[in-house]
Amino acid sequence: MPGWIPRWNRLPRWGKILYAVAGVAVLVAAGLYGLPALQKPDTCHEGIEKIGGECIGVDGAGYDFGTPEISAVAKAISAENKRIAKQPHVTVAMMLPLQSDTAGLRRQMRSDLQGAYLGQRQANSGEGQVPKIRLVLANPGLNYGHQDSVVSTLLDMAESDQDNLRAVTGFNLTLDATEEAVGRLTKNGVPVLASRISGDGIANVEGEKQRFPGLARIIPTNGNAAEALANFNGERGKRNARTVLVYDTRPDAYDESLASAFRGIKETGPAGPADMPYESPGISEAGSTGSQFEQIANNICGSAADTVYFAGRTLHLRIFALTLAKQTCANRHFTLVSGSDAASLRQAMSEKDWALLRGKDGEAKVTVQYAAPAHPVAWDAELAAWSKQWKAAHDREPTANQLPQYLTEPKAALDALKDLIRTTSAAGTDLGSPPDLEDSRTMLVYDGLVTIGTALHEVQGNDAEQTPSLADVRQEWSKLQSVHRVRGTSGLICLTSGGNPYDKPVAVVELNPGQGVRGTLKFVGLGWPTGKEQPKNCVIPSGTS
């Protein structure tokens, strides 16, 4: 502007001196008292903020968030991101806590990220199939404590034409903070694919207004898993067995929904003891649970109960199982039945623990049974059993076309994953350790990425130039059924109008002390929430969705 004079030059000489002194005072105060306006945020890495010793934020360039166990797989994801950078692509975020002081939890993180990388590779594998997936890791901190700031970043990425975030997956714990994160993302139109949260509270109810519009799940809820367990066990708790519920009173969405599901199992046989509560201080804290369990185990020993429904986290399940095994009940064997969180139990068991469960006579005193979301031997075992039964009825082997689709298609998907693991290793790609499919984590997260990739490719069609919108992806979830079902390694994924997997099977697994130094994780069979297998082509019956 003509004739405009800077404010500094319009001050008299004494004014300039006072202005300069005031400026120096502000700088001194900033140095002494750390004024927020003049401080740079403490960072762990570019774009990753350090909050209370945790590294919080989003990264797709190979940063490991200070967890060495995931360094190799984080770099593998970064390399895949670079490989597809010049092709049409969108961003998918993998959100789960990525730091822990516990070695077992860090190994679980690695399993999750191995599944994410392998799923990304599978989704990106088709020639000319777009959009490709750029995968980023989002660390919300311990127990999702800083999810709010991470969700804010993800919402910005969803609006960014450079990032084009189109889905968020991960979510490995059913917590109030997880529910808040899923709620805020879906409320703002961001599609969420939950591969590993089983709490009934983070799910849309069929036929009702959706609490989480744009949420899809590929794992049965605790309620569905309990129904599948009850259906699988048949007469357990209905005729001769006597059951008792042991549950955690600490507010925890997973524990609460599991306890509710177990209470909902109808039993017509003799009544067992009344429910027995305990209170833990946290997911990964034992507190006084050991002494509480001593009293509960004494009471169970004094009853006729032989089956315990346990609604609690893995740490407390382990303590309870060992406490129950130490009781001196004569000639008693107990079966503990729990939910999907128990899939981590085997990793936490020591040789001493196995020996305690086994007892001095070498016989199992306690067997833990749970509904795993998947197991790598399920399809071979079930196909062998089905074929044996069919041959007995028809006096010949079944043809390939006569084999049940609900078993053959997941088997083919699992075989494809195993081939991908082999080729990845042969190519020299380091994932930190060979993927271990037994705990189901890698399989479930892999299925989640494949499901997202399927939705993206279905929406994209033949228009390689148009980036799918958030609404396109949200609306695609319910179309992934029947002809467009997803062949998952964990079973056929056919989504209802509420985004829930229809009649998704659970792998009933037993953790048995056995006779060796370490116990075995044994696949027992498949359980179906509806009591029967999925229909042909996974066509969802009328009235379900």
Side-chain angles (χ1 to χ4, degrees), residues 293-317:
F293 288 154
E294 286 281 354
Q295 299 174 63
I296 292 173
N298 286 335
N299 289 335
I300 291 175
C301 240
S303 75
D306 55 18
T307 300
V308 181
Y309 291 130
F310 189 88
R313 294 287 182 172
T314 300
L315 172 68
H316 311 118
L317 174 61

Side-chain angles (χ1 to χ4, degrees), residues 349-378:
M349 297 289 287
S350 67
E351 292 180 9
K352 183 180 178 181
D353 293 340
W354 289 116
L356 184 56
L357 292 188
R358 195 176 300 119
K360 293 181 180 179
D361 60 358
E363 296 296 323
K365 297 185 69 176
V366 175
T367 299
V368 180
Q369 184 186 91
Y370 62 90
H375 194 280
V377 307

Side-chain angles (χ1 to χ4, degrees), residues 473-485:
V473 180
R474 287 198 310 271
Q475 295 163 9
E476 186 61 28
W477 294 145
S478 62
K479 298 178 179 64
L480 298 181
Q481 56 170 288
S482 187
V483 174
H484 300 288
R485 63 191 176 279

Side-chain angles (χ1 to χ4, degrees), residues 386 390 394 396-405 408:
W386 187 94
W390 198 95
H394 298 82
R396 66 176 177 83
E397 295 286 348
T399 65
N401 290 334
Q402 289 170 325
L403 294 173
Q405 184 187 57
T408 57

Side-chain angles (χ1 to χ4, degrees), residues 14 114 296 387 440 458 487 494 525:
W14 61 268
Q114 287 173 340
I296 292 173
S387 297
S440 77
E458 292 282 356
R487 284 82 168 171
C494 352

Side-chain angles (χ1 to χ4, degrees), residues 137-461:
L137 308 182
N139 181 25
L142 178 67
N143 295 334
Y144 292 79
H146 299 290
Q147 57 83 18
D148 190 60
S149 65
V150 173
V151 168
S152 293
T153 300
L154 296 176
L155 292 178
D156 289 342
M157 292 174 68
E159 293 181 0
S160 164
D161 291 337
Q162 181 177 353
D163 290 308
N164 285 320
L165 179 76
R166 287 299 174 265
V168 181
T169 188
F171 302 109
N172 62 336
L173 292 172
T174 303
L175 303 168
D176 289 343
T178 320
E179 185 173 337
E180 290 172 15
V182 172
R184 187 173 165 211
L185 285 166
T186 53
K187 181 181 178 181
N188 285 277
V190 177
V192 171
L193 188 290
S195 55
R196 291 202 42 252
I197 43 176
S198 58
D200 294 68
I202 311 180
N204 292 317
V205 178
E206 302 299 335
E208 297 182 9
K209 182 179 179 181
Q210 295 187 2
R211 287 184 61 210
F212 307 100
L215 169 65
R217 306 169 48 94
I218 64 168
I219 184 174
T221 62
N222 286 331
N224 289 152
E227 290 170 354
L229 274 171
N231 291 330
F232 176 82
N233 281 308
E235 294 303 306
R236 180 186 293 278
K238 293 184 180 181
R239 190 165 58 191
N240 296 320
R242 285 179 169 84
T243 66
V244 59
L245 171 64
V246 175
Y247 68 98
D248 195 344
T249 60
R250 176 180 57 82
D252 183 302
Y254 169 83
D255 295 343
E256 290 164 359
S257 65
L258 192 58
S260 176
F262 285 144
R263 289 190 184 102
I265 296 176
K266 295 178 181 179
E267 299 181 342
T268 57
D275 296 354
M276 299 186 183
Y278 71 94
E279 184 176 3
S280 72
I283 291 175
S284 55
E285 299 174 69
S288 67
T289 54
S291 59
Q292 294 180 65
F293 288 154
E294 286 281 354
Q295 299 174 63
I296 292 173
N298 286 335
N299 289 335
I300 291 175
C301 240
S303 75
D306 55 18
T307 300
V308 181
Y309 291 130
F310 189 88
R313 294 287 182 172
T314 300
L315 172 68
H316 311 118
L317 174 61
R318 173 183 167 273
I319 297 171
F320 180 74
L322 296 174
T323 303
L324 191 58
K326 284 188 280 187
Q327 299 304 306
T328 56
C329 311
N331 301 318
R332 296 281 292 279
H333 172 268
F334 294 97
T335 299
L336 303 187
V337 182
S338 197
S340 60
D341 197 61
S344 306
L345 180 59
R346 189 180 185 219
Q347 295 183 9
M349 297 289 287
S350 67
E351 292 180 9
K352 183 180 178 181
D353 293 340
W354 289 116
L356 184 56
L357 292 188
R358 195 176 300 119
K360 293 181 180 179
D361 60 358
E363 296 296 323
K365 297 185 69 176
V366 175
T367 299
V368 180
Q369 184 186 91
Y370 62 90
H375 194 280
V377 307
W379 312 118
D380 283 332
E382 289 291 304
L383 272 169
W386 187 94
S387 297
K388 181 179 180 180
Q389 187 175 15
W390 198 95
K391 182 180 179 181
H394 298 82
D395 199 29
R396 66 176 177 83
E397 295 286 348
T399 65
N401 290 334
Q402 289 170 325
L403 294 173
Q405 184 187 57
Y406 62 85
L407 298 177
T408 57
E409 291 186 353
K411 173 177 165 47
L414 181 58
D415 289 343
L417 171 57
K418 291 177 179 177
D419 285 341
L420 179 57
I421 291 172
R422 281 191 288 267
T423 57
T424 298
S425 176
T429 303
D430 183 9
L431 298 182
S433 71
D436 181 3
L437 303 182
E438 197 170 63
D439 69 358
S440 77
R441 291 174 176 274
T442 299
M443 292 171 63
L444 260 290
V445 177
Y446 170 87
D447 284 353
L449 266 292
V450 169
T451 301
I452 293 171
T454 301
L456 289 169
H457 300 149
E458 292 282 356
V459 166
Q460 188 75 21

